[in-house]
Amino acid sequence: MGLPFAFASHFAPDLMEEALALYRERFEPSERLQSPYAMLGINAVIGETHTQAQQAATSLQQHFVALRQGRPSTFPAPRSVSWNSQEQCLLDSTLRYTFVGTAEDVTKNISAFAERYRPDELLIGTPLYSQEERRKTLTGIVHHLMEK
């Protein structure tokens, strides 16, 4: 149809690479768009330390487990959580393109992701309980990427 393509990695991470390849292979130019244009959605969580980032990321983890169990909710406050093996497997798969850690580590992982998949645009979600933590994550990403 000659339109841009967007893919949110946390909805079906196993299909992202194939969907992107199919879009690029089968793209047909249109009046709106002459060449393929792809946006990929990822998540990022930055903390002062890796441990702080992991703790903040428990909001997203709780949200996804509840959603997949048929109990959708807003993002709950971060807390220590022990997942059973089925829940951990779900999180490892679904959130595979969620980058968690220090600003340096997260931006390094985002850069590697962008280099591998070559999106024209990235949509970076900051699925955190605290608005302040969301701002810190986005600011950290911007500052580290601009330093390069």
Side-chain angles (χ1 to χ4, degrees):
M1 295 175 63
L3 298 173
F5 175 75
F7 193 94
S9 67
H10 57 284
F11 289 127
D14 293 337
L15 301 175
M16 184 187 76
E17 197 165 342
E18 180 182 3
L20 184 60
L22 283 171
Y23 168 73
R24 287 176 172 156
E25 289 169 14
R26 295 181 182 178
F27 180 84
E28 293 183 20
S30 70
E31 289 180 16
R32 295 182 185 170
L33 197 60
Q34 295 304 304
S35 59
Y37 187 93
M39 178 175 68
L40 299 178
I42 59 173
N43 293 314
V45 178
I46 289 178
E48 294 293 321
T49 66
H50 186 75
T51 302
Q52 286 177 341
Q54 285 292 112
Q55 178 69 15
T58 63
S59 292
L60 175 61
Q61 294 168 347
Q62 293 175 75
H63 174 76
F64 260 91
V65 168
L67 184 64
R68 293 295 168 100
Q69 292 175 344
R71 301 178 290 111
S73 69
T74 59
F75 288 101
R79 64 179 178 88
S80 295
V81 183
S82 295
W83 303 112
N84 65 39
S85 59
Q86 185 179 15
E87 292 165 336
Q88 190 61 57
C89 184
L90 165 73
L91 292 171
D92 291 344
S93 173
T94 306
L95 302 180
R96 132 176 18 148
Y97 301 117
T98 295
F99 304 112
V100 179
T102 63
E104 182 178 347
D105 291 339
V106 168
T107 53
K108 190 182 301 180
N109 288 329
I110 289 172
S111 293
F113 176 89
E115 188 173 311
R116 178 175 179 181
Y117 296 108
R118 303 248 180 244
D120 298 288
E121 188 174 342
L122 280 175
L123 175 98
I124 301 175
T126 56
L128 297 163
Y129 177 73
S130 159
Q131 189 68 21
E132 180 182 338
E133 293 298 319
R134 291 176 188 182
R135 262 191 305 278
K136 283 182 185 178
T137 292
L138 291 172
T139 301
I141 291 168
V142 169
H143 285 310
H144 270 77
L145 288 177
M146 297 208 37
E147 288 176 1
K148 294 181 178 195

